[in-house]
Amino acid sequence: MSVSIENEYSGSLKCSGTQIEGFISEEEYKDIAVNVINRALEHENCPYEADVSLLLTDDGAIHEMNREYRGIDRSTDVLSFPMIDYDAPACFDGFDDRDELFDPDSGELLLGDIVISVDHAVSQAAEFGHTVIREYAFLIAHSMLHLMGYDHMTEEEAEEMEIRQSDILDSLGYIR
């Protein structure tokens, strides 16, 4: 599995290099991302090694992305950019015959990109009364489910995603 993590955070929390003071250490946010992504892939029985990109940014930058790509003129906590259209959520059937879904060099399934607003993660952790680590892990689990075809447009879909998110997070000890 490949996880590329880019830190472009430039918000109100102090940032020196790749370390965001008041957030979590660079080592922690990388380890958490890899663990949650791996667990989500296992939970959804993904039969392939996968490639995921994660971008940490601020409210201003995610606001611009939300406006540009979704037509929504406000910041948000997380954006997911799936590379695959699924017949059904987490249905990987027939992928072996679709070379365009795989990185030609590594052979990994190209799942997509996750963008997280550090500003939102920190404020939501305080609002919901849990740690920044738990909120960050939640945002990654939530986004990974989107990258594997899940959505929450209906009440049934939202309930299904909530159950799966909880299973993933609980199994890693990220409890609310």
Side-chain angles (χ1 to χ4, degrees):
M1 177 189 70
S2 296
V3 178
S4 60
I5 302 173
E6 200 170 330
N7 180 1
E8 291 182 357
Y9 181 75
S10 63
S12 60
L13 299 173
K14 209 175 198 184
C15 185
S16 57
T18 56
Q19 178 64 42
I20 303 168
E21 294 175 30
F23 188 52
I24 49 183
S25 73
E26 178 182 6
E27 185 177 322
E28 282 179 301
Y29 69 71
K30 288 181 176 183
D31 288 347
I32 292 165
V34 168
N35 289 337
V36 173
I37 289 167
N38 266 328
R39 184 63 196 115
L41 292 168
E42 290 168 4
H43 188 271
E44 296 306 313
N45 299 309
C46 179
Y48 306 103
E49 291 294 316
D51 181 285
V52 176
S53 293
L54 171 62
L55 172 65
L56 302 178
T57 193
D58 58 30
D59 273 349
I62 208 167
H63 182 160
E64 289 298 318
M65 287 181 220
N66 207 19
R67 180 178 29 233
E68 180 178 344
Y69 296 108
R70 297 180 63 223
I72 299 173
D73 192 16
R74 63 176 167 79
S75 65
T76 188
D77 53 359
V78 65
L79 291 171
S80 308
F81 297 99
M83 299 286 288
I84 301 169
D85 289 322
Y86 294 84
D87 292 335
C91 178
F92 301 97
D93 296 341
F95 281 21
D96 288 335
D97 300 326
R98 297 179 60 195
D99 290 340
E100 74 277 8
L101 301 179
F102 297 88
D103 181 289
D105 296 324
S106 69
E108 294 177 323
L109 181 65
L110 298 168
L111 279 183
D113 304 322
I114 300 169
V115 180
I116 293 177
S117 167
V118 173
D119 295 322
H120 259 74
V122 171
S123 67
Q124 286 178 175
E127 178 184 340
F128 298 130
H130 53 245
T131 67
V132 171
I133 289 173
R134 195 276 178 193
E135 185 65 19
Y136 175 66
F138 165 79
L139 294 173
I140 295 169
H142 180 85
S143 197
M144 281 299 295
L145 291 172
H146 281 306
L147 296 186
M148 291 186 280
Y150 290 93
D151 210 342
H152 46 79
M153 300 304 288
T154 68
E155 193 173 313
E156 281 180 346
E157 290 174 339
E159 189 173 302
E160 179 73 17
M161 275 191 77
E162 287 175 23
I163 290 167
R164 291 175 182 282
Q165 289 163 175
S166 291
D167 288 348
I168 292 164
L169 295 172
D170 291 352
S171 71
L172 293 169
Y174 299 121
I175 299 171
R176 213 174 209 185

